[in-house]
PDB file of all heavy atoms in Angstrom:
ATOM      1  N   ARG A 485      -0.747  -2.956 -28.877  1.00  0.00           N
ATOM      2  CA  ARG A 485      -1.067  -1.531 -28.719  1.00  0.00           C
ATOM      3  C   ARG A 485      -1.074  -1.148 -27.236  1.00  0.00           C
ATOM      4  O   ARG A 485      -0.643  -0.054 -26.868  1.00  0.00           O
ATOM      5  CB  ARG A 485      -2.413  -1.220 -29.381  1.00  0.00           C
ATOM      6  CG  ARG A 485      -2.345  -1.333 -30.909  1.00  0.00           C
ATOM      7  CD  ARG A 485      -3.663  -1.000 -31.575  1.00  0.00           C
ATOM      8  NE  ARG A 485      -4.047   0.394 -31.386  1.00  0.00           N
ATOM      9  CZ  ARG A 485      -3.554   1.415 -32.084  1.00  0.00           C
ATOM     10  NH1 ARG A 485      -2.627   1.211 -33.009  1.00  0.00           N
ATOM     11  NH2 ARG A 485      -3.976   2.641 -31.856  1.00  0.00           N
ATOM     12  N   LEU A 489       1.422   1.653 -25.448  1.00  0.00           N
ATOM     13  CA  LEU A 489       1.014   2.708 -24.523  1.00  0.00           C
ATOM     14  C   LEU A 489       1.816   2.633 -23.228  1.00  0.00           C
ATOM     15  O   LEU A 489       2.216   3.657 -22.666  1.00  0.00           O
ATOM     16  CB  LEU A 489      -0.487   2.596 -24.235  1.00  0.00           C
ATOM     17  CG  LEU A 489      -1.105   3.723 -23.405  1.00  0.00           C
ATOM     18  CD1 LEU A 489      -0.852   5.087 -24.026  1.00  0.00           C
ATOM     19  CD2 LEU A 489      -2.596   3.498 -23.229  1.00  0.00           C
ATOM     20  N   ILE A 492       5.172   4.245 -23.929  1.00  0.00           N
ATOM     21  CA  ILE A 492       5.129   5.710 -23.903  1.00  0.00           C
ATOM     22  C   ILE A 492       5.028   6.201 -22.469  1.00  0.00           C
ATOM     23  O   ILE A 492       5.722   7.145 -22.064  1.00  0.00           O
ATOM     24  CB  ILE A 492       3.936   6.231 -24.745  1.00  0.00           C
ATOM     25  CG1 ILE A 492       4.167   5.931 -26.224  1.00  0.00           C
ATOM     26  CG2 ILE A 492       3.756   7.733 -24.535  1.00  0.00           C
ATOM     27  CD1 ILE A 492       3.009   6.339 -27.122  1.00  0.00           C
ATOM     28  N   ARG A 524     -10.674   0.932 -29.697  1.00  0.00           N
ATOM     29  CA  ARG A 524     -11.174   1.021 -28.327  1.00  0.00           C
ATOM     30  C   ARG A 524     -10.740   2.358 -27.749  1.00  0.00           C
ATOM     31  O   ARG A 524      -9.870   3.037 -28.310  1.00  0.00           O
ATOM     32  CB  ARG A 524     -10.575  -0.109 -27.484  1.00  0.00           C
ATOM     33  CG  ARG A 524     -10.818  -1.509 -28.006  1.00  0.00           C
ATOM     34  CD  ARG A 524      -9.857  -2.503 -27.355  1.00  0.00           C
ATOM     35  NE  ARG A 524      -8.473  -2.232 -27.726  1.00  0.00           N
ATOM     36  CZ  ARG A 524      -7.400  -2.800 -27.156  1.00  0.00           C
ATOM     37  NH1 ARG A 524      -7.573  -3.661 -26.163  1.00  0.00           N
ATOM     38  NH2 ARG A 524      -6.178  -2.505 -27.564  1.00  0.00           N
ATOM     39  N   PRO A 525     -11.326   2.764 -26.618  1.00  0.00           N
ATOM     40  CA  PRO A 525     -10.843   3.999 -25.991  1.00  0.00           C
ATOM     41  C   PRO A 525      -9.344   3.980 -25.731  1.00  0.00           C
ATOM     42  O   PRO A 525      -8.660   4.992 -25.908  1.00  0.00           O
ATOM     43  CB  PRO A 525     -11.636   4.049 -24.685  1.00  0.00           C
ATOM     44  CG  PRO A 525     -12.919   3.359 -25.022  1.00  0.00           C
ATOM     45  CD  PRO A 525     -12.537   2.254 -25.954  1.00  0.00           C
ATOM     46  N   ILE A 526      -8.803   2.814 -25.356  1.00  0.00           N
ATOM     47  CA  ILE A 526      -7.371   2.733 -25.097  1.00  0.00           C
ATOM     48  C   ILE A 526      -6.577   2.980 -26.381  1.00  0.00           C
ATOM     49  O   ILE A 526      -5.481   3.561 -26.351  1.00  0.00           O
ATOM     50  CB  ILE A 526      -7.021   1.371 -24.474  1.00  0.00           C
ATOM     51  CG1 ILE A 526      -5.588   1.379 -23.954  1.00  0.00           C
ATOM     52  CG2 ILE A 526      -7.220   0.233 -25.443  1.00  0.00           C
ATOM     53  CD1 ILE A 526      -5.222   0.109 -23.199  1.00  0.00           C
ATOM     54  N   ASP A 527      -7.125   2.577 -27.525  1.00  0.00           N
ATOM     55  CA  ASP A 527      -6.451   2.827 -28.798  1.00  0.00           C
ATOM     56  C   ASP A 527      -6.460   4.308 -29.132  1.00  0.00           C
ATOM     57  O   ASP A 527      -5.477   4.844 -29.672  1.00  0.00           O
ATOM     58  CB  ASP A 527      -7.139   2.040 -29.915  1.00  0.00           C
ATOM     59  CG  ASP A 527      -7.009   0.544 -29.722  1.00  0.00           C
ATOM     60  OD1 ASP A 527      -5.877   0.064 -29.500  1.00  0.00           O
ATOM     61  OD2 ASP A 527      -8.040  -0.150 -29.776  1.00  0.00           O
ATOM     62  N   ARG A 528      -7.553   4.999 -28.797  1.00  0.00           N
ATOM     63  CA  ARG A 528      -7.615   6.437 -29.059  1.00  0.00           C
ATOM     64  C   ARG A 528      -6.626   7.190 -28.159  1.00  0.00           C
ATOM     65  O   ARG A 528      -6.014   8.173 -28.574  1.00  0.00           O
ATOM     66  CB  ARG A 528      -9.037   6.947 -28.831  1.00  0.00           C
ATOM     67  CG  ARG A 528     -10.059   6.313 -29.774  1.00  0.00           C
ATOM     68  CD  ARG A 528     -11.417   6.983 -29.665  1.00  0.00           C
ATOM     69  NE  ARG A 528     -12.428   6.269 -30.423  1.00  0.00           N
ATOM     70  CZ  ARG A 528     -12.579   6.363 -31.750  1.00  0.00           C
ATOM     71  NH1 ARG A 528     -11.770   7.145 -32.443  1.00  0.00           N
ATOM     72  NH2 ARG A 528     -13.533   5.682 -32.365  1.00  0.00           N
ATOM     73  N   VAL A 529      -6.489   6.714 -26.937  1.00  0.00           N
ATOM     74  CA  VAL A 529      -5.498   7.325 -26.051  1.00  0.00           C
ATOM     75  C   VAL A 529      -4.107   7.155 -26.644  1.00  0.00           C
ATOM     76  O   VAL A 529      -3.302   8.097 -26.685  1.00  0.00           O
ATOM     77  CB  VAL A 529      -5.559   6.691 -24.645  1.00  0.00           C
ATOM     78  CG1 VAL A 529      -4.399   7.176 -23.787  1.00  0.00           C
ATOM     79  CG2 VAL A 529      -6.879   7.028 -23.970  1.00  0.00           C
ATOM     80  N   LEU A 530      -3.808   5.945 -27.116  1.00  0.00           N
ATOM     81  CA  LEU A 530      -2.492   5.689 -27.711  1.00  0.00           C
ATOM     82  C   LEU A 530      -2.264   6.589 -28.924  1.00  0.00           C
ATOM     83  O   LEU A 530      -1.198   7.206 -29.061  1.00  0.00           O
ATOM     84  CB  LEU A 530      -2.383   4.221 -28.113  1.00  0.00           C
ATOM     85  CG  LEU A 530      -1.098   3.836 -28.865  1.00  0.00           C
ATOM     86  CD1 LEU A 530       0.127   4.061 -27.985  1.00  0.00           C
ATOM     87  CD2 LEU A 530      -1.167   2.388 -29.334  1.00  0.00           C
ATOM     88  N   ASP A 531      -3.251   6.688 -29.826  1.00  0.00           N
ATOM     89  CA  ASP A 531      -3.091   7.510 -31.025  1.00  0.00           C
ATOM     90  C   ASP A 531      -2.874   8.979 -30.665  1.00  0.00           C
ATOM     91  O   ASP A 531      -2.036   9.667 -31.259  1.00  0.00           O
ATOM     92  CB  ASP A 531      -4.319   7.369 -31.925  1.00  0.00           C
ATOM     93  CG  ASP A 531      -4.441   5.972 -32.525  1.00  0.00           C
ATOM     94  OD1 ASP A 531      -3.407   5.274 -32.599  1.00  0.00           O
ATOM     95  OD2 ASP A 531      -5.562   5.581 -32.907  1.00  0.00           O
ATOM     96  N   GLY A 532      -3.642   9.468 -29.682  1.00  0.00           N
ATOM     97  CA  GLY A 532      -3.498  10.861 -29.288  1.00  0.00           C
ATOM     98  C   GLY A 532      -2.131  11.150 -28.697  1.00  0.00           C
ATOM     99  O   GLY A 532      -1.495  12.163 -29.036  1.00  0.00           O
ATOM    100  N   MET A 533      -1.653  10.278 -27.827  1.00  0.00           N
ATOM    101  CA  MET A 533      -0.353  10.503 -27.211  1.00  0.00           C
ATOM    102  C   MET A 533       0.772  10.361 -28.237  1.00  0.00           C
ATOM    103  O   MET A 533       1.762  11.104 -28.207  1.00  0.00           O
ATOM    104  CB  MET A 533      -0.157   9.538 -26.038  1.00  0.00           C
ATOM    105  CG  MET A 533      -1.101   9.810 -24.876  1.00  0.00           C
ATOM    106  SD  MET A 533      -0.832   8.731 -23.442  1.00  0.00           S
ATOM    107  CE  MET A 533       0.700   9.374 -22.809  1.00  0.00           C
ATOM    108  N   ALA A 534       0.627   9.409 -29.161  1.00  0.00           N
ATOM    109  CA  ALA A 534       1.661   9.235 -30.191  1.00  0.00           C
ATOM    110  C   ALA A 534       1.760  10.477 -31.070  1.00  0.00           C
ATOM    111  O   ALA A 534       2.862  10.930 -31.409  1.00  0.00           O
ATOM    112  CB  ALA A 534       1.350   7.995 -31.027  1.00  0.00           C
ATOM    113  N   ARG A 535       0.640  11.048 -31.459  1.00  0.00           N
ATOM    114  CA  ARG A 535       0.670  12.269 -32.270  1.00  0.00           C
ATOM    115  C   ARG A 535       1.261  13.430 -31.489  1.00  0.00           C
ATOM    116  O   ARG A 535       2.034  14.222 -32.032  1.00  0.00           O
ATOM    117  CB  ARG A 535      -0.744  12.625 -32.746  1.00  0.00           C
ATOM    118  CG  ARG A 535      -1.286  11.726 -33.825  1.00  0.00           C
ATOM    119  CD  ARG A 535      -2.392  12.417 -34.586  1.00  0.00           C
ATOM    120  NE  ARG A 535      -1.893  13.591 -35.290  1.00  0.00           N
ATOM    121  CZ  ARG A 535      -2.664  14.451 -35.964  1.00  0.00           C
ATOM    122  NH1 ARG A 535      -3.976  14.260 -35.994  1.00  0.00           N
ATOM    123  NH2 ARG A 535      -2.148  15.492 -36.581  1.00  0.00           N
ATOM    124  N   SER A 547      -6.560  15.004 -31.019  1.00  0.00           N
ATOM    125  CA  SER A 547      -6.617  13.558 -30.807  1.00  0.00           C
ATOM    126  C   SER A 547      -6.748  13.227 -29.330  1.00  0.00           C
ATOM    127  O   SER A 547      -7.512  12.336 -28.939  1.00  0.00           O
ATOM    128  CB  SER A 547      -5.365  12.891 -31.380  1.00  0.00           C
ATOM    129  OG  SER A 547      -5.293  13.085 -32.782  1.00  0.00           O
ATOM    130  N   LEU A 548      -5.989  13.935 -28.511  1.00  0.00           N
ATOM    131  CA  LEU A 548      -6.049  13.667 -27.079  1.00  0.00           C
ATOM    132  C   LEU A 548      -7.417  14.009 -26.505  1.00  0.00           C
ATOM    133  O   LEU A 548      -7.925  13.304 -25.638  1.00  0.00           O
ATOM    134  CB  LEU A 548      -4.970  14.466 -26.348  1.00  0.00           C
ATOM    135  CG  LEU A 548      -3.567  13.855 -26.361  1.00  0.00           C
ATOM    136  CD1 LEU A 548      -2.570  14.821 -25.750  1.00  0.00           C
ATOM    137  CD2 LEU A 548      -3.549  12.547 -25.595  1.00  0.00           C
ATOM    138  N   ARG A 550     -10.327  13.912 -28.066  1.00  0.00           N
ATOM    139  CA  ARG A 550     -11.259  12.839 -28.446  1.00  0.00           C
ATOM    140  C   ARG A 550     -10.994  11.584 -27.622  1.00  0.00           C
ATOM    141  O   ARG A 550     -11.927  10.908 -27.178  1.00  0.00           O
ATOM    142  CB  ARG A 550     -11.118  12.535 -29.945  1.00  0.00           C
ATOM    143  CG  ARG A 550     -11.689  13.619 -30.855  1.00  0.00           C
ATOM    144  CD  ARG A 550     -11.823  13.104 -32.278  1.00  0.00           C
ATOM    145  NE  ARG A 550     -10.528  12.725 -32.849  1.00  0.00           N
ATOM    146  CZ  ARG A 550      -9.724  13.548 -33.492  1.00  0.00           C
ATOM    147  NH1 ARG A 550     -10.072  14.829 -33.652  1.00  0.00           N
ATOM    148  NH2 ARG A 550      -8.583  13.120 -33.998  1.00  0.00           N
ATOM    149  N   ALA A 551      -9.716  11.290 -27.427  1.00  0.00           N
ATOM    150  CA  ALA A 551      -9.367  10.115 -26.628  1.00  0.00           C
ATOM    151  C   ALA A 551      -9.853  10.264 -25.200  1.00  0.00           C
ATOM    152  O   ALA A 551     -10.350   9.316 -24.585  1.00  0.00           O
ATOM    153  CB  ALA A 551      -7.854   9.911 -26.653  1.00  0.00           C
ATOM    154  N   LEU A 552      -9.727  11.472 -24.680  1.00  0.00           N
ATOM    155  CA  LEU A 552     -10.126  11.736 -23.303  1.00  0.00           C
ATOM    156  C   LEU A 552     -11.618  11.518 -23.114  1.00  0.00           C
ATOM    157  O   LEU A 552     -12.062  10.908 -22.140  1.00  0.00           O
ATOM    158  CB  LEU A 552      -9.742  13.169 -22.936  1.00  0.00           C
ATOM    159  CG  LEU A 552      -9.730  13.528 -21.462  1.00  0.00           C
ATOM    160  CD1 LEU A 552      -8.662  12.746 -20.746  1.00  0.00           C
ATOM    161  CD2 LEU A 552      -9.476  15.025 -21.310  1.00  0.00           C
ATOM    162  N   ALA A 554     -13.585   9.628 -24.952  1.00  0.00           N
ATOM    163  CA  ALA A 554     -13.891   8.202 -25.054  1.00  0.00           C
ATOM    164  C   ALA A 554     -13.461   7.463 -23.798  1.00  0.00           C
ATOM    165  O   ALA A 554     -14.178   6.579 -23.291  1.00  0.00           O
ATOM    166  CB  ALA A 554     -13.194   7.615 -26.283  1.00  0.00           C
ATOM    167  N   PHE A 555     -12.304   7.805 -23.290  1.00  0.00           N
ATOM    168  CA  PHE A 555     -11.772   7.128 -22.113  1.00  0.00           C
ATOM    169  C   PHE A 555     -12.644   7.409 -20.893  1.00  0.00           C
ATOM    170  O   PHE A 555     -12.953   6.498 -20.120  1.00  0.00           O
ATOM    171  CB  PHE A 555     -10.346   7.611 -21.871  1.00  0.00           C
ATOM    172  CG  PHE A 555      -9.601   6.828 -20.831  1.00  0.00           C
ATOM    173  CD1 PHE A 555      -9.078   5.587 -21.128  1.00  0.00           C
ATOM    174  CD2 PHE A 555      -9.409   7.339 -19.561  1.00  0.00           C
ATOM    175  CE1 PHE A 555      -8.379   4.852 -20.183  1.00  0.00           C
ATOM    176  CE2 PHE A 555      -8.717   6.621 -18.605  1.00  0.00           C
ATOM    177  CZ  PHE A 555      -8.202   5.375 -18.911  1.00  0.00           C
ATOM    178  N   ARG A 556     -13.060   8.657 -20.740  1.00  0.00           N
ATOM    179  CA  ARG A 556     -13.860   9.026 -19.570  1.00  0.00           C
ATOM    180  C   ARG A 556     -15.214   8.348 -19.577  1.00  0.00           C
ATOM    181  O   ARG A 556     -15.757   8.002 -18.528  1.00  0.00           O
ATOM    182  CB  ARG A 556     -14.035  10.550 -19.547  1.00  0.00           C
ATOM    183  CG  ARG A 556     -14.770  11.081 -18.328  1.00  0.00           C
ATOM    184  CD  ARG A 556     -14.808  12.602 -18.328  1.00  0.00           C
ATOM    185  NE  ARG A 556     -15.389  13.130 -19.540  1.00  0.00           N
ATOM    186  CZ  ARG A 556     -15.445  14.440 -19.837  1.00  0.00           C
ATOM    187  NH1 ARG A 556     -14.930  15.320 -19.005  1.00  0.00           N
ATOM    188  NH2 ARG A 556     -15.989  14.852 -20.949  1.00  0.00           N
ATOM    189  N   LEU A 572      -4.445   2.911 -16.231  1.00  0.00           N
ATOM    190  CA  LEU A 572      -4.116   3.898 -17.262  1.00  0.00           C
ATOM    191  C   LEU A 572      -4.539   5.311 -16.887  1.00  0.00           C
ATOM    192  O   LEU A 572      -3.994   6.279 -17.400  1.00  0.00           O
ATOM    193  CB  LEU A 572      -4.794   3.516 -18.587  1.00  0.00           C
ATOM    194  CG  LEU A 572      -4.240   2.280 -19.296  1.00  0.00           C
ATOM    195  CD1 LEU A 572      -5.130   1.903 -20.462  1.00  0.00           C
ATOM    196  CD2 LEU A 572      -2.825   2.549 -19.785  1.00  0.00           C
ATOM    197  N   VAL A 575      -2.075   8.459 -16.126  1.00  0.00           N
ATOM    198  CA  VAL A 575      -1.403   9.064 -17.273  1.00  0.00           C
ATOM    199  C   VAL A 575      -2.363   9.985 -18.012  1.00  0.00           C
ATOM    200  O   VAL A 575      -2.022  11.104 -18.398  1.00  0.00           O
ATOM    201  CB  VAL A 575      -0.868   7.972 -18.221  1.00  0.00           C
ATOM    202  CG1 VAL A 575      -0.260   8.594 -19.470  1.00  0.00           C
ATOM    203  CG2 VAL A 575       0.169   7.120 -17.509  1.00  0.00           C
ATOM    204  N   VAL A 576      -3.612   9.508 -18.190  1.00  0.00           N
ATOM    205  CA  VAL A 576      -4.593  10.306 -18.915  1.00  0.00           C
ATOM    206  C   VAL A 576      -4.958  11.558 -18.117  1.00  0.00           C
ATOM    207  O   VAL A 576      -5.107  12.647 -18.677  1.00  0.00           O
ATOM    208  CB  VAL A 576      -5.852   9.461 -19.214  1.00  0.00           C
ATOM    209  CG1 VAL A 576      -6.857  10.266 -20.006  1.00  0.00           C
ATOM    210  CG2 VAL A 576      -5.456   8.205 -19.987  1.00  0.00           C
ATOM    211  N   MET A 579      -2.369  14.184 -18.581  1.00  0.00           N
ATOM    212  CA  MET A 579      -2.506  14.870 -19.867  1.00  0.00           C
ATOM    213  C   MET A 579      -3.647  15.873 -19.818  1.00  0.00           C
ATOM    214  O   MET A 579      -3.562  16.961 -20.386  1.00  0.00           O
ATOM    215  CB  MET A 579      -2.751  13.847 -20.976  1.00  0.00           C
ATOM    216  CG  MET A 579      -1.693  12.747 -21.086  1.00  0.00           C
ATOM    217  SD  MET A 579      -0.033  13.393 -21.396  1.00  0.00           S
ATOM    218  CE  MET A 579      -0.203  13.916 -23.081  1.00  0.00           C
TER     219      MET A 579
END
Side-chain angles (χ1 to χ4, degrees):
R485 291 181 65 79
L489 187 56
I492 293 177
R524 304 163 295 169
I526 191 174
D527 295 310
R528 298 188 188 281
V529 172
L530 175 63
D531 292 338
M533 293 183 72
R535 287 202 64 185
S547 297
L548 278 173
R550 288 194 298 272
L552 196 65
F555 190 77
R556 184 176 56 185
L572 290 171
V575 176
V576 182
M579 304 301 288

